[in-house]
Amino acid sequence: MIRKSRLVNALFLLGFPLFGYSSYYGATNGLSKGFIMAAAPFVAIILFHFIDTLYRRSFERRLTPVWWLCMAYMATLVWSMFVGLRHGIPGVQMGNVLLSSLIFLAPFNAAVIVILHNRDEPDFSFGRLLFMGLGLLLLINVLGYFAGVTALGTGDERAIFPYIRGRYTGVHVLAVFCLMLMFQLTKAGRRPVHFLLILIAYLMCVYFMIQINSRLSFMVFAVLTVLFMTRAIKVVRGLYTISLFTIPLLLSFSLLVYKVLTTPVFAAILQRVSKEDVTTFNGRSYIWTAIGDWALHDRTGLLFGNGYKGHYYLHLLDFVAVLWQEPHAYNLHSHSTFTEVLVGQGILGIALLYLLLWKGFKYYRARYLEGGLDAPLFAGFVYLLFIWQLDIFCYGTDIGHSILFCMLAPLCIAPMVKAR
């Protein structure tokens, strides 16, 4: 007889590789079909839990206020999609809005249900389950790469992974996985064969990160690798506060970043190190400055946001479209989850997200200092803490949004329920 916990665990593991493959499937068969495929395993977990709850007639209270905060943030995200639909943003249709909303909500709630169904398993580690899911996602991409499958719909030859959507999504998933994998390296020291296999996997991931060649991502990964390997992360203070000012700090010290990237170590690894590209962060500084000017001087919709693709509605990036020779500004995004949320969901949305990131940081730092089963998640969470400012990885239908909120799922279960 199949245990319920094993069934939901298997569906959750299947969810990540299927989420990745759905980007390839959607590019060839239609975006809506891709969204349905991405959400299917997580929706199956939710439906199974709902039917199981009705059958057992058990509706005990199990959720903490963090779950309500997560749902409140996602409500602002869903609302922004409907505002974008009302504004007539090209390509935004009712079907896509509903399916996108399902992508926002399903993985997170499925993760909460997985933890609930494993609450009686003494050796269960949600961190290990998430790690395995990301590993399966990377495995199908590596196999696809060596099989010669070409990435579709990315518009960038550096997006070498065929089953991950987005130019830089692959490198972010690799970075999160590698930072979690470091903990396996330290534990396998007395098992030479096991250590060698993990080391090969780690080096292969770093190789693909270098091949994708995302400079900012690799810098963040390298700094965090040093902090965690030397365990200096235990004594570092103000890490969360520093992350709040990632974009202003980068814009202020762009020349210093260029100097760092032109050192022999980074110059030997990274190929695209021209001064113009680095000091403008491949043109991102123009976008961030335009949004900063809007927040300081215009402030239209600053409190509750301007909806999905709000920058297009406000014509904030029209000049960038001309500069980049893009036919339409609605094809652009702001290359930052922070700026995308600020423009689309306003101060309300960004305040909720900041609060959730703070709670997640405190929770996983405590798990790391305790040396618990979920300690490796701290390294991945800290990476997301910085990268969400520098890329759109953690926004909307991107898989980074699902990874981030799955990491927040353990905070949503009441301690007495987890203990029981």
Side-chain angles (χ1 to χ4, degrees), residues 13 32 37 41 46 64 70 75 110 145 150 211 259 285 312 319 339 373 382 394 420:
L13 283 176
S32 297
M37 176 180 286
I46 295 170
T64 69
C70 290
Y145 170 77
T150 304
Q211 289 294 106
K259 292 293 185 182
S285 64
Y312 177 75
F319 78 100
T339 53
L373 291 175
V382 172
C394 296
R420 190 167 60 236

XYZ file of all heavy atoms in Angstrom, residues 13 32 37 41 46 64 70 75 110 145 150 211 259 285 312 319 339 373 382 394 420:
165
model
N 8.538 16.007 -6.128
C 9.803 15.822 -6.844
C 9.602 15.945 -8.357
O 10.414 16.544 -9.062
C 10.396 14.451 -6.515
C 11.092 14.296 -5.169
C 11.537 12.850 -4.974
C 12.296 15.222 -5.075
N -0.063 28.545 -22.870
C -1.065 28.053 -21.928
C -0.859 26.578 -21.605
O -0.965 26.157 -20.437
C -2.476 28.264 -22.488
O -2.746 29.637 -22.650
N 1.061 22.287 -17.793
C 2.020 21.226 -17.468
C 2.820 21.578 -16.222
O 3.052 20.725 -15.349
C 2.972 20.993 -18.649
C 4.065 19.983 -18.365
S 5.171 19.707 -19.762
C 4.096 18.740 -20.823
N 1.559 18.800 -11.394
C 1.890 17.987 -10.214
C 1.527 18.672 -8.897
O 1.083 18.020 -7.945
C 3.411 17.789 -10.331
C 3.739 18.090 -11.745
C 2.756 19.120 -12.183
N -2.525 19.349 -4.171
C -3.557 20.129 -3.487
C -4.910 19.415 -3.538
O -5.624 19.325 -2.533
C -3.651 21.540 -4.112
C -2.340 22.305 -3.868
C -4.836 22.312 -3.536
C -2.221 23.598 -4.634
N 0.478 28.992 10.345
C 0.967 30.147 11.094
C 0.633 31.432 10.328
O 0.227 31.382 9.156
C 2.487 30.049 11.272
O 3.111 30.239 9.995
C 2.902 28.700 11.844
N 2.283 35.161 3.114
C 2.614 34.671 1.766
C 1.418 34.819 0.827
O 1.555 35.268 -0.318
C 3.048 33.209 1.821
S 4.656 32.921 2.594
N -1.643 37.599 -3.374
C -2.873 38.293 -3.756
C -2.546 39.588 -4.497
O -3.217 39.935 -5.485
C -3.720 38.588 -2.522
N 1.435 23.474 -2.333
C 1.795 22.060 -2.412
C 2.934 21.743 -1.448
O 2.938 20.692 -0.793
C 2.185 21.697 -3.844
N 21.197 18.936 -22.829
C 22.327 19.671 -23.405
C 23.261 18.734 -24.163
O 23.652 19.006 -25.306
C 23.085 20.391 -22.288
C 24.403 20.980 -22.714
C 24.456 22.164 -23.438
C 25.601 20.346 -22.385
C 25.678 22.708 -23.821
C 26.817 20.874 -22.764
C 26.866 22.061 -23.484
O 28.074 22.579 -23.871
N 18.213 22.131 -28.385
C 18.423 23.573 -28.398
C 17.374 24.280 -27.555
O 16.185 23.968 -27.645
C 18.353 24.121 -29.837
O 19.314 23.428 -30.641
C 18.657 25.612 -29.875
N 29.988 28.526 -18.292
C 29.562 28.511 -19.694
C 28.431 29.507 -19.947
O 28.415 30.196 -20.965
C 29.100 27.101 -20.088
C 30.220 26.086 -20.209
C 31.157 26.415 -21.370
O 32.278 26.886 -21.159
N 30.693 26.200 -22.576
N 36.751 46.692 -11.799
C 38.117 46.360 -11.404
C 38.214 44.927 -10.889
O 39.181 44.205 -11.174
C 38.598 47.335 -10.327
C 38.795 48.767 -10.808
C 39.933 48.874 -11.803
C 40.193 50.329 -12.188
N 41.269 50.435 -13.199
N 21.488 49.403 -15.704
C 21.495 50.647 -14.928
C 20.554 51.688 -15.522
O 19.983 52.496 -14.788
C 22.917 51.208 -14.844
O 23.396 51.576 -16.134
N 5.395 49.448 -18.864
C 4.867 49.699 -20.215
C 3.678 50.651 -20.155
O 3.552 51.573 -20.975
C 4.457 48.374 -20.870
C 3.836 48.534 -22.235
C 4.612 48.830 -23.347
C 2.451 48.385 -22.404
C 4.030 48.980 -24.596
C 1.868 48.531 -23.652
C 2.666 48.825 -24.745
O 2.083 48.987 -25.989
N 12.473 54.578 -23.965
C 13.791 54.970 -24.472
C 14.765 53.792 -24.459
O 15.655 53.696 -25.314
C 14.349 56.130 -23.643
C 14.921 55.736 -22.316
C 16.292 55.590 -22.142
C 14.086 55.494 -21.228
C 16.821 55.220 -20.922
C 14.608 55.124 -20.008
C 15.981 54.979 -19.843
N 12.423 45.870 -8.562
C 11.817 46.952 -9.338
C 10.524 46.506 -10.012
O 9.580 47.286 -10.143
C 12.803 47.468 -10.394
O 13.295 46.372 -11.184
C 13.985 48.168 -9.742
N 18.730 19.494 9.921
C 18.613 18.866 8.611
C 18.402 19.890 7.497
O 18.824 19.670 6.356
C 17.449 17.865 8.617
C 17.630 16.602 9.467
C 16.349 15.786 9.473
C 18.792 15.760 8.957
N 20.115 32.664 1.165
C 20.931 33.880 1.142
C 21.245 34.285 -0.295
O 21.256 35.474 -0.635
C 22.230 33.684 1.955
C 23.164 34.873 1.782
C 21.900 33.503 3.426
N 13.037 35.684 -9.284
C 12.082 35.384 -8.207
C 10.718 36.024 -8.437
O 9.932 36.161 -7.485
C 12.646 35.847 -6.863
S 14.136 34.977 -6.360
N 4.126 16.920 16.306
C 3.241 15.770 16.374
C 3.454 14.841 15.187
O 3.313 13.646 15.268
C 1.791 16.259 16.409
C 0.791 15.181 16.713
C -0.558 15.769 17.055
N -1.086 16.560 15.958
C -1.450 17.820 16.039
N -1.300 18.473 17.173
N -1.956 18.480 15.028
